[in-house]
């Protein structure tokens, strides 16, 4: 349970900050948490697809990306087919419980690369029909001390994200609907508590996990708790990895240069983006040798 979400890691660091620990101490605690994840991976106690420290800030913003510049293999990225199937499953869930817009969430995350906190912070005022996309100006953060707060996105990078035409049409319609009902500052994709209340990770998980199973995503085996309660296996690829699909889709299908992919994702540098998504040198050598042989 601890390894399936970043909520617990965030809570530990929030407690350290609330206690007035020095930044260096908070960084040391974060490094220890990351080490625990690494040990858990090596001991096969935690699947490598689960990265509870992947988006957790514990060092200076500009250094955060460099600390985690680890190659993400294709096996840990959902395919385009998987993203579209998940969107349909979300839409079906939304039709049943009166939230027909749910299907937009995997689309915007899977093709635009927004983090969960950024996605759930979008408002009608952030949607720009003329520029054909959305401005990522804020993101939700959660802490024990302060609860849910809208702050600047990770790395402090306000950015504009272009959307596919099919997705843009749906987002525009949703923005107009929300603005008419609640105003320009209400949330496009609110949690179940109201139009201004964000999805928590736990609330999203209750939608994502059954939707991923319905969409045919590979899942871990079911388990039985110590009290004998049967628990469904969680998807092998977690929600946050939709962002990985966006990165490679933008480059390989949409034709973005890596520097533009980096700006779209809000990374600190294009070097970090390439370290995450460019295949290892051994694969590149084969590809480049074939290209040079034809010249």
């Amino acid at each position: 349970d601890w390894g399936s979400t970043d909520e617990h890691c965030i809570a530990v660091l929030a407690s350290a900050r609330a206690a007035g620990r020095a930044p260096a101490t908070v960084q040391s605690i974060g490094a220890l948490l990351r080490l625990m994840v690494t040990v858990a991976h090596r001991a096969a106690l935690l699947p490598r697809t689960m990265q509870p420290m992947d988006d957790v800030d514990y060092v200076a913003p500009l250094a955060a990306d460099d600390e985690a510049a680890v190659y993400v293999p294709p096996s840990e990225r959902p395919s385009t087919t998987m993203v579209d199937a998940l969107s349909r499953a979300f839409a079906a869930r939304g039709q049943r419980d009166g939230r027909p817009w749910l299907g937009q969430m995997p689309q915007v995350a899977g093709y635009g690369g927004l983090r969960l906190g950024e996605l759930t912070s979008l408002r009608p005022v952030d949607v720009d029909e003329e520029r054909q996309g959305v401005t990522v100006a804020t993101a939700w953060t959660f802490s024990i001390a302060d609860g849910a707060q809208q702050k600047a996105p990770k790395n402090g990078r306000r950015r504009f994200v272009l959307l596919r035409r099919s997705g843009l049409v749906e987002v525009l319609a949703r923005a107009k609907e929300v603005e008419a009902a609640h105003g320009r500052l209400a949330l496009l994709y609110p949690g179940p508590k109201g139009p201004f209340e964000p999805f928590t990770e736990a609330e999203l998980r209750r939608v994502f996990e059954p939707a991923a199973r319905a969409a045919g995503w590979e899942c871990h085996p079911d388990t039985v708790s110590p009290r004998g309660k049967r628990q469904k296996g969680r998807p092998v690829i977690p929600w946050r990895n939709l962002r990985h699909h966006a990165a490679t889709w933008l480059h390989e299908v949409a034709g973005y240069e890596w520097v533009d992919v980096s700006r779209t994702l809000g990374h600190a540098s294009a070097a970090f983006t390439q370290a995450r998504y460019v295949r290892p040198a051994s694969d590149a050598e084969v590809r480049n040798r074939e290209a040079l042989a034809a010249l």
Side-chain angles (χ1 to χ4, degrees), residues 111-134:
Y111 288 98
L114 276 67
R115 302 177 179 93
L116 176 60
E118 298 167 346
L119 174 68
T120 55
S121 189
L122 289 178
R123 305 155 299 173
V125 70
D126 299 319
V127 181
D128 192 322
E129 182 174 7
E130 183 177 349
R131 293 180 67 191
Q132 301 182 20
V134 296

Side-chain angles (χ1 to χ4, degrees), residues 204-288:
L204 181 74
R205 192 162 57 244
R206 286 193 285 271
V207 178
F208 167 65
E209 292 183 359
R213 286 190 286 269
W217 284 33
E218 181 184 359
C219 294
H220 295 289
D222 294 351
T223 58
V224 178
S225 72
R227 295 183 179 181
K229 182 179 179 181
R230 191 170 186 82
Q231 298 172 322
K232 290 283 190 180
R234 288 175 171 155
V236 171
I237 296 179
W239 168 273
R240 67 164 57 89
N241 288 23
L242 287 169
R243 182 170 161 85
H244 299 325
H245 171 267
T248 51
W249 183 89
L250 287 168
H251 177 69
E252 296 171 3
V253 179
Y256 276 36
E257 299 291 342
W258 280 117
V259 66
D260 297 320
V261 174
S262 180
R263 289 171 183 152
T264 297
L265 297 180
H267 283 162
S269 69
F272 171 79
T273 307
Q274 290 180 293
R276 293 282 268 171
Y277 302 113
V278 174
R279 289 179 179 276
S282 57
D283 292 339
E285 181 179 331
V286 174
R287 182 179 66 250
N288 295 337

Side-chain angles (χ1 to χ4, degrees), residues 87 90-91 93-95 97 99-106 189-190 199 207:
S87 296
F90 261 62
R93 168 67 179 265
Q95 291 293 340
D97 64 14
R99 294 182 289 178
W101 44 264
L102 275 180
Q104 295 178 28
M105 295 180 68
Y189 310 121
F199 262 109
V207 178

Side-chain angles (χ1 to χ4, degrees), residues 4 17 35 47 49 53 81 87 103 115 118 141 166 174 178 229 250-251 270:
S4 66
R17 293 187 179 102
L35 175 61
T49 52
M53 285 294 291
T81 299
S87 296
R115 302 177 179 93
E118 298 167 346
T141 61
S166 58
R174 173 61 181 162
V178 171
K229 182 179 179 181
L250 287 168
H251 177 69

Side-chain angles (χ1 to χ4, degrees), residues 141-163:
T141 61
F142 299 87
S143 70
I144 294 175
D146 303 317
Q149 289 186 313
Q150 279 183 306
K151 297 183 177 180
K154 187 177 180 181
N155 296 328
R157 291 174 179 262
R158 177 189 177 101
R159 65 191 191 277
F160 189 80
V161 176
L162 293 168
L163 299 179

